Amino acid sequence: MSSLQALCSGLPLRPLPENRGRRAGVPHAPVRTPGLSPAEEKLALRNALRYFPPDVQETLAPEFAQELRLFGHIYMYRFCPSMEMRAYPIEQYPCRTRAAAAIMHMIMNNLDPAVAQFPQELVTYGGNGQVFSNWAQFWLTMSYLSKMTEEQTLVMYSGHPLGLFPSSPGAPRLIITNGMVIPNYSSRTEYEKMFALGVTMYGQMTAGSYCYIGPQGIVHGTVLTVLNAGRRYLGVENLAGKVFVTSGLGGMSGAQAKAAVIVGCIGVIAEVDKAALVKRHQQGWLMEVTDNLDHCIKRLRYTWIHTSSLSWAIPALSLPKARERKEVLSLGYHGNVVDLWERLVHELDTTGELLVDLGSDQTSCHNPFNGGYYPVQLSFVEAQSLMASNPAAFKHLVQESLRRHVSAINRLAQEKFFFWDYGNAFLLEAQRAGADVEKKGANKTEFRYPSYVQHIMGDIFSQGFGPFRWVCTSGDPRDLAVTDQLATSVLEKAIEDGVKASVKLQYTDNIRWIREASKHQLVVGSQARILYSDQKGRVAIAMAINQAIANGKIKAPVVLSRDHHDVSGTDSPFRETSNIYDGSAFCADMAVQNFVGDACRGATWVALHNGGGVGWGEVINGGFGLVLDGTPEAEQKARKMLSWDVSNGVARRCWSGNPKAYEIICQNMQEDSGLVVTLPHEVADDRVLQQALRP
């Protein structure tokens, strides 16, 4: 308790904590190269020192200047807390409102080393998804939250806590904006400078809104994506014996190995950072690891007998191929995915055997030149060195690597192999690099390979299904088990009451998911769960959880949230809105209206970000947190806010011409007397349009 009290007492200044610098044995963010002028370096230093009184500035100024020159940003390592960072039970936080304690719980979870990708740099995932810009902001935010009353709102400007302002009990307790740069300056180059100056921040989707729940969220999304890819591309419900190849085991992409196991296929995932590979293996998310391409190929071809925990093994040549035995496997390859793809091409061209069925990519390609994508020509260490010493040369190698990457995929795609873009800006950056990803006659959001929204998840979003999730702030696994049971019962009852076949399929997939989730040790950090649900399911689950808190079946408040990657949370023409074809895919009205609408309807906190997923300047997304505490007021807020949070996006998709969204919005209008939407009329056929446009 005393440690958390100290953490909420403001910046530790007298005495100053010991400056221990960067800790050894902890993953660290790549060195940034913002290219500041001397005047800009001085401004960055001045901005950092504003948090501290004059009597300590002389001590702090030299070390902050050194951080800026060594790492490209002032993180204030001296103020990285010495206590264990994790999601402590809600009752342990010193505060005046339960909402504030719940927010603290979520912040601490985002910075838990078991959860965060680069904890000392305050990066949760995605290579640059910041919780705060520096550690002074963390201390001040925790102090503000401990003091906040039900008649105050904390305002956050890109990681900077502006202060507590008078509001009302019905208003959000916290309002966050990240990266709200005016459009003409929302470029990658400008971002690097502004982040180095300490005036803006890349919050990813759920890092800078304090809603990340560890890689479980993307495990579930990947499970649904791979299941539906099998249905669409391979025509199968059962993926046993099918091979899924991809890359990335750090941050959110670390979920891919676990997802492969849950869907029952063979997953081979490449990762250049050995620390990330080892972390996922130790967590039990990877079954086997190897740094040998020959081993990868033989592992696909033969059944192996394990001889150690790291799966170095001998082939049992007399047994059938592993794929024919339909073995469930997640194999981590320590190396560059381009080498893996090119080896698969070599095997195809020399033996005629196609060893892969499905493929994608989950590198942080939204940030390709600062650690999000590593070129095949260099080792991991060599790449990090060149990235810092010669950014232009590094960029050249990345783009050359992307061209090779795509070339290998193109060769495999000539056979019965199917690739999709996972919304990480992979095809966008490949296009910019000159790779052969063009699709003849396509619009600006389409490439040779579809995004997973266009072909796999788009119709699911249009029906109102998306990544709904919750966190049990007690920290007790037994509370999470109760919520699992409640959610399962809600979905089973919905099926019994009768739903359309397409909706039943989604409910069934998610019931399967919840049952599997408890078996696969998916909780990393906070006691959290995720599932894809529509408006009706989200509201019903929220009601059930709130009632269980009121009855004492759940011991403490539960925080509801979702990934911003949802039905109405994000406008992103290369991902979430890539299947919007009325010309509005580049318009951000939906995400902004989502943010404002959630705030008006009872959200405990709301967030609006530039960036997230596909990169700075490429997306605007809005998110929320809602605390259920068992009260009638919480139930009323949940009903209103969750309904809007889904209907906003379904209505937008209805107007873009999606027939499934049209059906859902009509159904919602019948069920909700307060919902009135002007429905689009069927547009005249092409003959009439062409005649009208004739010169």
Side-chain angles (χ1 to χ4, degrees), residues 145-335:
L145 288 169
S146 70
K147 299 171 184 174
M148 184 171 66
T149 71
E150 291 287 347
E151 296 191 344
Q152 291 174 309
T153 293
L154 175 60
V155 177
M156 303 292 298
Y157 277 22
S158 289
H160 169 69
L162 195 65
L164 294 170
F165 293 83
S167 61
S168 66
R173 299 278 67 81
L174 172 67
I175 296 180
I176 304 167
T177 53
N178 286 312
M180 291 292 106
V181 175
I182 60 176
N184 280 353
Y185 295 88
S186 190
S187 68
R188 190 174 285 154
T189 301
E190 293 288 349
Y191 167 71
E192 291 296 341
K193 285 197 173 188
M194 285 186 278
F195 180 62
L197 290 174
V199 295
T200 198
M201 188 182 87
Y202 191 89
Q204 260 289 349
M205 294 191 127
T206 52
S209 58
Y210 321 143
C211 292
Y212 189 61
I213 61 167
Q216 178 188 168
I218 194 65
V219 173
H220 182 42
T222 306
V223 164
L224 292 185
T225 300
V226 177
L227 277 176
N228 284 288
R231 290 166 179 156
R232 180 179 181 106
Y233 299 129
L234 305 178
V236 299
E237 287 287 335
N238 187 344
L239 286 168
K242 303 301 182 183
V243 177
F244 171 52
V245 171
T246 182
S247 56
L249 284 167
M252 291 183 76
S253 61
Q256 297 184 104
K258 181 63 77 173
V261 172
I262 291 174
V263 302
C265 71
I266 299 167
V268 184
I269 307 96
E271 170 59 58
V272 294
D273 184 356
K274 187 176 181 179
L277 195 83
V278 170
K279 178 179 179 180
R280 296 305 179 198
H281 188 262
Q282 290 175 342
Q283 288 176 336
W285 289 52
L286 261 180
M287 294 168 66
E288 304 174 12
V289 298
T290 182
D291 59 4
N292 188 295
L293 272 176
D294 289 339
H295 179 90
C296 285
I297 300 303
K298 291 176 181 177
R299 189 68 181 88
L300 292 176
R301 284 202 167 113
Y302 306 117
T303 298
W304 290 60
I305 301 169
H306 300 295
T307 59
S308 81
S309 61
L310 290 184
S311 75
W312 308 118
I314 57 172
L317 299 180
S318 62
L319 294 177
K321 296 176 182 179
R323 289 180 297 149
E324 291 179 3
R325 287 173 57 86
K326 299 183 178 179
E327 194 175 349
V328 176
L329 171 68
S330 58
L331 173 63
Y333 166 58
H334 179 217

Side-chain angles (χ1 to χ4, degrees), residues 216 220 224 466-470 484 487-488 491 510-511 513-514 529-534 537-538 541:
Q216 178 188 168
H220 182 42
L224 292 185
F468 180 58
R469 54 201 188 188
W470 58 88
D484 282 349
T488 302
L491 299 185
N510 280 280
I511 291 168
W513 156 260
I514 294 178
R529 185 67 73 227
I530 182 172
L531 58 79
Y532 267 51
S533 187
D534 58 356
R538 296 185 204 204
I541 291 169

